[in-house]
Amino acid sequence: MDYPIARRPGFDPPAEFAALRAEAPMCPVSLRHGQRAHLVTRYDDVRAVLRDHGRFSSDPSTPGFPQLRPVVDREAAPGSFLVTDPPEHTRYRRMLTGEFTVRRMAALRPEVERITAERLAALRSGPRPADLVTAFALPVPSDVICLLLGVPVSDQEFFSTRSRAHLDRSLSAERVRSALEELHGYLADLVRARRADPRDDLISRLVREPGLSDEEAVGMTVLLLVGGHETTANSIALSVLALQRERAWWDALVADPGLVENAVEELLRYLSPVHHGVVRAVAGEAAVGGTALGAGDGVIASLFAANRDPAAFPDPDRLDLRRNARAHLAFGSGVHQCVGHLLARLEMRVALRALVTGLPDLRLAVPFEDVEFRFDAPIYGLRSLPVTW
């Protein structure tokens, strides 16, 4: 079986996942560069892989590391905490932990609400129909991450196009590499500027960390910039479409905005935006679901399949905003759980609450079947979402 498995328009994972969970929860798959790896689809197995950083390595230099991107990663770039193992990973994460605490998010909430209100006001005063992706879902998290990092909002278009190209798995390796080099060059200039003239932003605080090189600071910032807006922007747009698809749930949120907090957890489980999964290489020996693995074996832990596992979530293909879905794996698990998960949750809650209270009559401007999904990236989303009110 080739991986990734082709998606059909809509929110459901490929139908093959259900059969694999039941019959072949550790399924051999073929990857784009001729590699072989094991696809893990059961919730308990996926969670076990993600939480065992001793036997499952995130470092691309580990033999057998599955390569899903057009560009083959031979080793972790400096600062790329997403693809490093402890103790280096621990060192990087420690520098960021204080930036994304519950207390810091509470202090940031008024700014997120202000940004959201401004973008919603611009949407409401603009032409109809409007594209919710470009007018609201993308700008809100982009504005927030710009504020946090100290990136000028005026440069939003530059980093947004480069980050999307960086994640686009339909592009050639050359185009992906070029986009990433441009993004690195831009952020390298910004890091040097903050060393010379520090401000009250995350990059300025990063460059004050003892022993952190400019190259490492750039690598960390790339991950925060790309991950800090791309995932959340897609999650907001997909959430609105899912709620419009099942209009009774949109109406339930309009009637009771207090349901938004629980709804966000269920939407994250149901949508699972990181749909290609998380890759690991076996370091030493391990076993998953009774299958023995050895050094050099590659593993792909499917967050999407795990979040639709009926053993973890009864009737998993049904969207139920009153379900207790907090145990979902949309943000991963273990030491590599998304460092910005509290920020993403905050942005989604504020954005959805603003929409159901400020635009309760929001509706699709095209039939659902005409909405174009974007599946050619590790984080899926929508190319556009035409809406009116």
Side-chain angles (χ1 to χ4, degrees), residues 11 240-252 270 317-321 368:
F11 310 109
V240 171
L241 181 59
L243 295 169
Q244 292 292 323
R245 177 68 164 168
E246 300 194 34
R247 184 73 194 197
W249 283 124
W250 176 269
D251 294 339
Y270 180 76
D317 295 328
R318 179 172 62 90
L319 180 65
D320 179 2
L321 301 191
F368 176 83

Side-chain angles (χ1 to χ4, degrees), residues 360-378:
D361 297 327
L362 186 78
R363 62 187 185 276
L364 297 183
V366 297
F368 176 83
E369 293 73 21
D370 290 346
V371 176
E372 190 176 358
F373 284 76
R374 185 169 61 90
F375 292 133
D376 50 11

Side-chain angles (χ1 to χ4, degrees), residues 266-383:
E266 169 67 353
L267 286 162
L268 285 165
R269 179 203 70 83
Y270 180 76
L271 298 169
S272 295
V274 183
H275 68 144
H276 286 171
V278 176
V279 296
R280 297 286 188 267
V282 179
E285 295 182 354
V288 178
T291 299
L293 299 171
D297 285 333
V299 170
I300 302 168
S302 174
L303 308 181
F304 210 158
N307 282 336
R308 295 294 189 96
D309 187 345
F313 303 100
D315 197 7
D317 295 328
R318 179 172 62 90
L319 180 65
D320 179 2
L321 301 191
R322 293 187 171 88
R323 182 199 305 268
N324 179 6
R326 289 196 66 88
H328 66 77
L329 299 175
F331 293 114
S333 187
V335 299
H336 278 284
Q337 182 183 39
C338 174
V339 70
H341 71 94
L342 293 178
L343 176 60
R345 286 180 158 108
L346 171 62
E347 291 170 335
M348 287 185 67
R349 291 167 185 166
V350 171
L352 288 180
R353 181 181 283 270
L355 288 170
V356 298
T357 57
L359 279 178
D361 297 327
L362 186 78
R363 62 187 185 276
L364 297 183
V366 297
F368 176 83
E369 293 73 21
D370 290 346
V371 176
E372 190 176 358
F373 284 76
R374 185 169 61 90
F375 292 133
D376 50 11
I379 305 160
Y380 80 101
L382 306 174
R383 297 196 184 279

Side-chain angles (χ1 to χ4, degrees), residues 16-96:
E16 291 90 338
F17 281 175
L20 291 176
R21 275 195 307 265
E23 302 166 12
M26 281 284 289
C27 177
V29 292
S30 300
L31 309 183
R32 66 184 302 157
H33 298 292
Q35 278 185 298
R36 301 278 288 175
H38 298 274
L39 177 65
V40 186
T41 50
R42 288 179 180 170
Y43 178 92
D44 287 344
D45 293 340
V46 168
R47 188 173 182 272
V49 169
L50 297 180
R51 296 179 70 85
D52 188 348
H53 60 82
R55 282 178 286 196
F56 295 93
S57 172
S58 302
D59 190 333
S61 67
T62 305
F65 185 85
Q67 301 284 346
L68 297 182
R69 299 177 62 229
V71 176
V72 174
D73 298 309
R74 299 298 183 189
E75 59 183 5
S80 294
F81 54 89
L82 192 64
V83 288
T84 54
D85 294 327
E88 194 71 351
H89 172 266
T90 308
R91 170 178 167 251
Y92 290 138
R93 284 286 290 234
R94 189 177 293 123
M95 298 176 189
L96 296 172

